[in-house]
Amino acid sequence: DTGVSQDPRHKITKRGQNVTFRCDPISEHNRLYWYRQTLGQGPEFLTYFQNEAQLEKSRLLSDRFSAERPKGSFSTLEIQRTEQGDSAMYLCASTPAGTSETQYFGPGTRLLVL
Amino acid sequence: GEDVEQSLFLSVREGDSSVINCTYTDSSSTYLYWYKQEPGAGLQLLTYIFSNMDMKQDQRLTVLLNKKDKHLSLRIADTQTGDSAIYFCAEKGHSSASKIIFGSGTRLSIRP
């Protein structure tokens, strides 16, 4: 048990709907990451927060995607106007402050867009 | 750009050693990782190696790093059925302090 939790674990939605996922990092981890993993592939980086500041965004993060971490603790990832290509596992990871090399991953939210 | 490649499948007999190989392109990688993912589960960090090391051993796991060839391997001694999973090689590039670049994963299956 890494201690990172994600909610929901599974989400089925219809194309065009909006969805929001939540990630609760390990307590006092100031860095939080979102990755996307499609079937048969490794996770791909989406975005990264240090405390409440979003410091890096992948070009994979289209304008339909938005992530927030308003108080520097939990984070949300919203996808607007979902498309079938958004179907994937969305993984969250966290790292403590300092020069830690280890990212601790949550169990993921599996999204299916019909 | 940064890229990590690994073979898709490996099948070994129970009790034998498994060796999973990986190559990467970023010569400035600082950390290299092996993660394990079981069906329906998240990623479990198995081990990692700092780029100035060439070997790291942790119980049944041995990581070898050939920095010149940008080649990383994971050896699992005495492979057990519980080792069946997808193993991801990953690297943290020097160009970004944040993201980890993953390979596509090697599915390890164990034969009785």
Side-chain angles (χ1 to χ4, degrees):
Chain A
D1 184 7
T2 64
V4 177
S5 61
Q6 294 187 243
D7 182 69
R9 294 291 307 277
H10 304 274
K11 178 71 178 177
I12 301 174
T13 192
K14 291 183 179 178
R15 193 172 46 187
Q17 298 295 303
N18 299 344
V19 294
T20 300
F21 310 141
R22 176 180 170 125
C23 170
D24 286 88
I26 294 173
S27 179
E28 298 181 0
H29 279 197
N30 73 334
R31 295 182 186 176
L32 186 149
Y33 312 81
W34 285 99
Y35 291 82
R36 181 177 72 183
Q37 184 179 19
T38 53
L39 203 61
Q41 298 296 317
E44 296 172 290
F45 171 79
L46 291 179
T47 189
Y48 151 60
F49 290 86
Q50 181 158 308
N51 299 312
E52 64 277 6
Q54 189 173 17
L55 297 186
E56 188 172 349
K57 289 197 291 187
S58 161
R59 60 180 182 276
L60 292 175
L61 215 65
S62 77
D63 56 7
R64 296 185 298 106
F65 287 70
S66 61
E68 294 182 342
R69 195 183 183 197
K71 297 181 182 177
S73 56
F74 73 91
S75 175
T76 57
L77 177 68
E78 182 184 15
I79 309 174
Q80 295 182 325
R81 305 181 303 282
T82 52
E83 301 173 356
Q84 287 183 323
D86 297 330
S87 296
M89 175 81 88
Y90 290 84
L91 294 162
C92 176
S94 70
T95 300
T99 56
S100 173
E101 64 285 347
T102 304
Q103 293 186 13
Y104 297 89
F105 281 81
T109 294
R110 185 172 292 283
L111 172 67
L112 178 61
V113 181
L114 300 176
Chain B
E2 301 149 329
D3 194 21
V4 177
E5 295 201 356
Q6 48 185 131
S7 54
L8 293 180
F9 300 101
L10 178 65
S11 176
V12 298
R13 197 180 305 274
E14 188 175 2
D16 287 352
S17 292
S18 306
V19 179
I20 305 172
N21 295 300
C22 165
T23 57
Y24 60 97
T25 58
D26 189 351
S27 57
S28 63
S29 296
T30 50
Y31 292 99
L32 295 125
Y33 306 87
W34 285 103
Y35 281 85
K36 177 182 181 182
Q37 188 174 41
E38 294 177 275
L43 291 165
Q44 174 194 353
L45 177 66
L46 283 180
T47 186
Y48 65 91
I49 188 167
F50 189 53
S51 58
N52 69 353
M53 300 168 63
D54 51 23
M55 187 181 98
K56 182 177 180 181
Q57 187 153 3
D58 183 3
Q59 299 183 339
R60 292 190 298 121
L61 305 179
T62 303
V63 178
L64 295 178
L65 174 61
N66 181 329
K67 199 172 178 183
K68 174 176 169 290
D69 294 338
K70 302 192 193 70
H71 182 268
L72 183 74
S73 68
L74 173 69
R75 179 177 179 270
I76 306 172
D78 187 25
T79 310
Q80 302 298 308
T81 54
D83 296 323
S84 293
I86 301 176
Y87 290 81
F88 290 96
C89 173
E91 59 100 7
K92 182 182 243 185
H94 191 68
S95 61
S96 168
S98 57
K99 64 184 177 185
I100 292 179
I101 307 296
F102 288 85
S104 297
T106 298
R107 183 179 295 275
L108 176 64
S109 65
I110 315 301
R111 306 191 301 273

